[in-house]
Amino acid sequence: MIYTIALAALAAIWFASWKMGQGQARGIIAGGQRMHSLPSHYGAYTAILAVVPAVLALLIWSIFQPLIIDGMIVSSLPPERQALDDLFLNALINDIRNMAAGNPVRDASDPVIIAAAAELSGWQTTANFMLLALLGGLAVIGLFISRGQVVPEMRARNRVERFVMVLLILSSTIAVITTVGIVMSLLYESIEFFRRVPFYEFLFGLHWSPQTALRADQVGGSGSFGAIPIFMGTLLISTIALCIAAPVGLFSAIYMAEFSSPRARSIIKPLLEILAGVPTVVYGFFAALLVAPLLRDGGAQLGIGIDSESALAAGLVMGVMIIPFVSSLSDDVITAVPRSLREGSYGLGATRAETIRLVIVPAALPGIVGALLLAASRAIGETMIVVMAAGLTANLTANPFEAVTTVTVQIVTLLTGDQEFDTAKTLSAFALGLLLFVVTLALNVMALRIVRKYREKYD
Amino acid sequence: MTDAPMNGQPGEVRRGLSRTDTMETVRKGLRRRYAAERRFKWYGRIAIAIALGFLVVLVGSILFRGASVITQTHILLSVELPMDAFSVDGEVTDESLQRADFGGIVKQALRDRFPDVSKRRDRRTLYQLISTGATYELRDHVVADPSLIGQTIDIWLTASDDIDMLDKGYIDRNVDSTGRRVSDQQIAWYDALIADGRLERHFNTTFFTSGDSREPEQAGIWGAALGSFYTLMVTLLLAFPLGVTTAVYLEEFAPKNKWTDLIEVNINNLAAVPSIIFGLLGLAVFLNVIGLPRSAPLAGGVVLALMTLPTIIIAGRAALKAVPPSIREAALGVGASRLQTVTHHVLPLAMPGMLTGSIIGMAQALGETAPLLMIGMVAFIVDLPGGPLDPATVLPVQVYIWADSPERAFVERTSAGIIVLLLFLVVMNLSAVMLRKRFERRW
């Protein structure tokens, strides 16, 4: 709440100081002097000086203020409450906070909580006033400094542009920061995990059952973290998906690029791309509700036992989902094959099909392989279809009619619901995530490199 | 093929073949090769037919299952509202109204309608005709107009999900009664109600105005739609400015060096990172380290913003690239600074393309489920969220939650939820296409 007020106040200061600086510059110009920059540059300069330090202060404040107030609450508590261990202490602080905010509290009659809540709201009011005073003070100081700087010689435009440039550069680093954040968070939790479970056991173990005992006397809850069955499941489902998507996608691409009229192509291509735009949860529902029962009943008629959560159902639907990834990219690389190759082949008397088979596909092969690799990386990282249509228990098999589980399914099942961040069970999800990240990254880098090489060849 | 000689002079015929034999071989081969050509063409047609066929079956089956959610079965009951049920010491106050046993009154009305039901077990099956939410409907009706107390009123109350499914034809009454959710008795009552004209389907306002519920007939999509709205707002507010500034920097200002290369490689790779990894990032960093509230659209929006950022940046760069250099040169030539050139001339020209890319990115974010499961947006939330800090769920996650529920009526809700989600996606993508068409410039 206080932050909304602070932000609104800063926005008001921004506009007011802009107008002030601009007005000052206009005044100087009206006095007959020539300024280095336009009046609006002086306005922007004034606004930056007034608001940016205050914004930084607000940021720092929002990080440290809760910590300091928590410390003050704890030190105000009676000594026997301070001696509680962290878990209870945090619960107590939460209660106090809720009480102060007027939310329902578990134990509203506890005098310690009531007293502390009263004190807390007092402190918070003080803190809020302090914050507003701080922001206001910084704004006044900024305005004061800029007042003396709006003079004809000051190069306001250059300074403002330098500031904007810094903003642009900062925002472009977000992508790098995100990657670093992903790698760091995955690595940090994975290292925690590998402290509990040996690395080789995770990579090469044949048994996966992450349930760990909550109490020491529970039976069979030791938890074992051999991820081979999960990898095999992922591989099985992705392979089935590629077996669908590769021929269908490739033949569609060839047809669109070589046989169809431009008009038909302009209709078919977006239609195929709708397949990639349908949310994956829809595919998951489709697989679980329609495809899996259909396969199960069909299998029963033929005398084959097909599980209702079979790898086949999930793989089939996933294959449909990745068709456009194959077809779009292959279409691009096939149309990029130079005309001269085609015409040379026609000139020798080859039919169109022969040209495609013997000239175009071999020429476009690297690009097609790249497309398939990208599709494979999609399939491996796909989550919702397998969560809804594949199995939950790890099962080491290559039989597509049985239920298998995948890396993404395990991550979801391990991390939805209650989590304890100090058990191997929860941490194992991050180890799986790290592995998934590394594998998909490798596939992507490889695919992009192949495609780029191929482009260079014909450019 | 014409009859013109192909192999030159007759004397040159090799391997002991006569000229007509050669022609025969070629002709035969040609037939085979043309057949191969036709086959090849058909492979392509079949592949496209398979892909599009799947699309049709997918959308068709969901439309088919979900369309019936438009209506909801209601039952007309004559409810007696005796004075003493609502009053304490002969006086009706707000408190006594709230405390009145509306559930009991509804049950009494059902017993009055079917007076020959006397066994306890049968009565319990009788009560199951009406939704548990009917109690609150009656309460709201009476609280809104307390003058009804003391009269007998006719009121349409929501039927239970099983009756609704029976009425919509999803439950086959010819199946043996052990195999279906509605007992023979209930079917008899249902038929009696129909014969009286006391059972009708009305427009299903509940579905479009309320939040989630464990009871299918009371579950609605509005809570999830609001959650999606708040989440996408957060995503848009973060991703659009960041995406545009990054694209401008990389395309217009960045020097060609190792650092810029690194940023570019990073963006391309981020675009292909599985979405669930972003969920792990959100869980480990935004929830555990920074301490954003769990299940809140704020955290979800931040995660989705990071996910859609590459899409927006890549689209933005393409849009900037499409602005011809002559525009920049003209602006620089009349004395604009580089930043002025970009903000006054290049950016306005590139904006339609950037907006198109952002809308497509937002559509992706709207359909995303997996990362949101990681940060707790999969919770069962009945209340409508009032802002980006309240616990909420989003449309695709709501679909996932309903798809997991066993009741038959939830299949209809799930399909209907998907239809709503797809409608939003279609609208967003169409507006992107229109925007592109409307502002497309050929230089």
Side-chain angles (χ1 to χ4, degrees):
Chain A
M1 186 57 205
I2 179 66
Y3 293 114
T4 321
I5 296 173
L7 284 177
L10 287 180
I13 293 173
W14 174 270
F15 283 111
S17 50
W18 184 300
K19 283 278 166 238
M20 259 169 74
Q22 207 176 9
Q24 208 183 339
R26 282 200 181 126
I28 296 173
I29 293 171
Q33 274 178 295
R34 282 175 63 87
M35 305 278 287
H36 171 270
S37 309
L38 294 172
S40 62
H41 289 127
Y42 291 95
Y45 182 70
T46 313
I48 289 169
L49 270 190
V51 171
V52 172
V55 168
L56 291 179
L58 182 65
L59 219 63
I60 296 169
W61 183 279
S62 67
I63 296 168
F64 286 106
Q65 189 246 30
L67 297 178
I68 293 171
I69 288 213
D70 275 2
M72 284 165 73
I73 298 175
V74 172
S75 56
S76 78
L77 291 175
E80 77 274 7
R81 292 294 182 98
Q82 282 187 38
L84 287 170
D85 65 34
D86 277 355
L87 201 65
F88 288 98
L89 201 59
N90 279 335
L92 187 64
I93 291 176
N94 257 335
D95 279 350
I96 294 170
R97 252 196 230 127
N98 279 332
M99 184 89 174
N103 295 333
V105 179
R106 281 175 307 153
D107 188 7
S109 57
D110 187 339
V112 174
I113 294 184
I114 295 173
E119 241 178 315
L120 173 63
S121 15
W123 284 331
Q124 263 168 353
T125 319
T126 324
N128 291 347
F129 275 117
M130 273 166 67
L131 174 64
L132 290 182
L134 175 71
L135 298 184
L138 283 172
V140 168
I141 293 172
L143 283 178
F144 187 72
I145 294 173
S146 70
R147 194 98 198 134
Q149 289 199 353
V150 180
V151 289
E153 301 81 49
M154 209 275 291
R155 303 183 168 196
R157 198 198 68 206
N158 302 30
R159 294 197 184 183
V160 171
E161 289 191 351
R162 211 174 307 143
F163 174 76
V164 174
M165 217 46 153
V166 170
L167 280 190
L168 290 186
I169 294 174
L170 279 182
S171 77
S172 76
T173 54
I174 293 279
V176 181
I177 293 174
T178 310
T179 312
V180 172
I182 289 176
V183 172
M184 293 300 280
S185 59
L186 291 181
L187 264 185
Y188 179 77
E189 310 283 357
S190 302
I191 288 170
E192 281 290 302
F193 172 72
F194 289 126
R195 246 185 232 153
R196 288 150 222 252
V197 177
F199 186 63
Y200 60 86
E201 191 194 315
F202 174 72
L203 268 194
F204 302 112
L206 294 179
H207 190 63
W208 177 270
S209 73
Q211 286 307 329
T212 33
L214 294 174
R215 298 188 308 272
D217 56 339
Q218 267 178 332
V219 188
S222 59
S224 58
F225 295 93
I228 288 283
I230 304 181
F231 300 155
M232 283 304 293
T234 310
L235 205 66
L236 180 62
I237 291 184
S238 309
T239 312
I240 296 171
L242 276 181
C243 284
I244 304 287
V248 174
L250 209 53
F251 276 112
S252 314
I254 291 172
Y255 185 83
M256 282 191 292
E258 298 292 323
F259 291 115
S260 73
S261 64
R263 238 184 82 91
R265 182 187 145 98
S266 71
I267 295 170
I268 296 170
K269 201 169 181 183
L271 276 180
L272 281 185
E273 270 158 20
I274 291 178
L275 281 175
V278 173
T280 52
V281 67
V282 179
Y283 282 110
F285 179 63
F286 182 66
L289 188 81
L290 211 74
V291 179
L294 213 68
L295 284 177
R296 190 191 54 211
D297 298 345
Q301 296 232 318
L302 295 173
I304 315 168
I306 299 183
D307 280 339
S308 53
E309 294 183 327
S310 65
L312 192 59
L316 209 85
V317 174
M318 194 190 279
V320 173
M321 188 199 81
I322 58 177
I323 286 173
F325 290 94
V326 181
S327 71
S328 259
L329 258 170
S330 310
D331 183 49
D332 288 348
V333 293
I334 288 171
T335 32
V337 171
R339 279 202 76 77
S340 57
L341 286 183
R342 277 189 193 96
E343 279 159 3
S345 172
Y346 295 147
L348 288 173
T351 62
R352 279 201 290 188
E354 284 160 353
T355 308
I356 291 163
R357 212 152 37 84
L358 300 172
V359 177
I360 295 175
V361 170
L365 198 59
I368 292 173
V369 171
L372 290 180
L373 284 181
L374 279 184
S377 128
R378 280 280 152 174
I380 291 172
E382 169 47 41
T383 309
M384 290 321 291
I385 295 178
V386 279
V387 165
M388 294 169 86
L392 292 180
T393 45
N395 180 7
L396 186 56
T397 175
N399 181 355
F401 301 139
E402 282 184 39
V404 294
T405 189
T406 72
V407 174
T408 45
V409 174
Q410 286 306 313
I411 294 176
V412 169
T413 41
L414 289 169
L415 288 185
T416 42
D418 294 330
Q419 306 144 5
E420 297 265 348
F421 263 81
D422 50 359
T423 62
K425 184 184 159 205
T426 304
L427 291 172
S428 66
F430 286 89
L432 288 173
L434 180 66
L435 212 86
L436 182 66
F437 179 70
V438 170
V439 170
T440 51
L441 191 70
L443 279 175
N444 286 322
V445 169
M446 212 145 66
L448 287 180
R449 187 158 293 177
I450 292 174
V451 170
R452 189 173 302 158
K453 272 254 170 66
Y454 162 82
R455 286 226 176 97
E456 280 162 7
K457 202 165 99 194
Y458 289 120
D459 270 348
Chain B
M1 278 281 125
T2 62
D3 287 331
M6 282 192 67
N7 293 353
Q9 298 305 309
E12 283 179 11
V13 174
R14 277 163 288 175
R15 287 185 223 130
L17 286 173
S18 73
R19 183 179 152 213
T20 45
D21 282 345
T22 314
M23 285 309 294
E24 194 50 39
T25 320
V26 168
R27 216 166 263 150
K28 260 194 199 153
L30 215 53
R31 203 175 303 139
R32 187 175 45 77
R33 286 168 64 200
Y34 280 162
E37 166 107 8
R38 270 196 301 278
R39 267 206 309 280
F40 206 82
K41 236 176 168 170
W42 273 107
Y43 293 151
R45 288 198 184 120
I46 291 168
I48 290 173
I50 289 176
L52 295 185
F54 250 109
L55 185 64
V56 170
V57 172
L58 178 78
V59 176
S61 68
I62 282 164
L63 278 182
F64 177 71
R65 276 155 212 267
S68 56
V69 87
I70 286 290
T71 58
Q72 169 76 42
T73 310
H74 286 72
I75 294 175
L76 182 65
L77 277 185
S78 300
V79 182
E80 199 191 337
L81 301 171
M83 191 65 186
D84 55 342
F86 300 94
S87 54
V88 178
D89 307 330
E91 221 178 319
V92 180
T93 60
D94 280 349
E95 206 195 334
S96 71
L97 252 184
Q98 292 291 343
R99 285 199 176 168
D101 178 18
F102 288 99
I105 294 169
V106 172
K107 285 175 183 169
Q108 181 61 49
L110 274 169
R111 282 200 299 272
D112 293 346
R113 176 63 188 77
F114 297 105
D116 47 339
V117 181
S118 53
K119 269 192 257 156
R120 273 180 78 93
R121 259 191 48 205
D122 292 348
R123 280 188 178 172
R124 212 172 301 143
T125 25
L126 176 65
Y127 301 152
Q128 283 165 6
L129 291 181
I130 292 274
S131 161
T132 49
T135 309
Y136 307 108
E137 289 168 21
L138 181 65
R139 188 190 65 195
D140 293 346
H141 192 71
V142 174
V143 168
D145 184 8
S147 66
L148 295 174
I149 294 172
Q151 309 173 20
T152 300
I153 58 167
D154 276 356
I155 181 172
W156 285 100
L157 295 174
T158 308
S160 72
D161 55 320
D162 289 334
I163 295 302
D164 188 40
M165 288 296 104
L166 179 71
D167 193 51
K168 287 172 180 168
Y170 291 117
I171 294 179
D172 186 0
R173 59 165 74 201
N174 298 321
V175 181
D176 182 61
S177 68
T178 50
R180 65 173 130 80
R181 284 184 60 96
V182 190
S183 68
D184 290 337
Q185 243 176 337
Q186 283 175 321
I187 290 185
W189 292 324
Y190 163 80
D191 288 339
L193 284 170
I194 293 247
D196 283 5
R198 287 186 161 254
L199 190 141
E200 269 177 25
R201 269 192 261 161
H202 298 164
F203 179 72
N204 191 353
T205 39
T206 315
F207 181 74
F208 296 103
T209 54
S210 62
D212 198 5
S213 169
R214 295 277 185 228
E215 304 296 328
E217 73 275 6
Q218 293 165 44
I221 198 81
W222 186 237
L226 275 179
S228 272
F229 173 75
Y230 291 127
T231 310
L232 283 192
M233 276 300 121
V234 174
T235 306
L236 187 66
L237 285 180
L238 283 175
F240 184 66
L242 277 177
V244 169
T245 48
T246 307
V248 165
Y249 177 71
L250 288 179
E251 202 55 42
E252 302 287 331
F253 297 109
K256 201 84 194 104
N257 59 21
K258 280 252 157 32
W259 176 243
T260 325
D261 278 351
L262 179 74
I263 293 176
E264 282 190 35
V265 170
N266 249 306
I267 290 169
N268 286 334
N269 282 331
L270 272 186
V273 168
S275 59
I276 192 166
I277 300 283
F278 285 95
L280 289 176
L281 172 76
L283 176 61
V285 176
F286 298 133
L287 296 195
N288 288 355
V289 178
I290 297 181
L292 294 185
R294 242 180 111 75
S295 309
L298 178 64
V302 174
V303 169
L304 291 181
L306 292 183
M307 230 187 71
T308 47
L309 203 51
T311 313
I312 297 181
I313 294 174
I314 292 169
R317 294 188 65 177
L320 287 169
K321 232 179 232 149
V323 177
S326 56
I327 302 274
R328 296 183 185 83
E329 283 150 14
L332 291 171
V334 295
S337 71
R338 285 174 75 199
L339 193 67
Q340 284 170 329
T341 306
V342 171
T343 51
H344 296 177
H345 302 283
V346 179
L347 208 50
L349 289 173
M351 211 25 105
M354 288 183 152
L355 285 177
T356 311
S358 307
I359 294 175
I360 290 171
M362 287 297 116
Q364 268 176 18
L366 176 61
E368 201 52 70
T369 322
L372 302 179
L373 300 183
M374 301 285 93
I375 54 171
M377 291 190 86
V378 68
F380 172 70
I381 292 150
V382 178
D383 298 329
L384 300 178
L389 289 173
D390 289 350
T393 186
V394 295
L395 286 171
V397 178
Q398 185 70 72
V399 166
Y400 169 65
I401 296 173
W402 284 345
D404 251 9
S405 310
E407 285 93 345
R408 176 62 188 77
F410 268 124
V411 173
E412 182 198 64
R413 303 281 143 153
T414 314
S415 309
I418 290 175
I419 295 174
V420 172
L421 177 60
L422 290 182
L423 273 181
F424 277 117
L425 287 179
V426 167
V427 168
M428 287 170 90
N429 282 304
L430 275 187
S431 57
V433 170
M434 303 251 284
L435 202 66
R436 190 181 293 158
K437 281 251 163 70
R438 174 93 174 66
F439 291 98
E440 195 174 44
R441 266 176 209 251
R442 296 235 172 259
W443 299 95

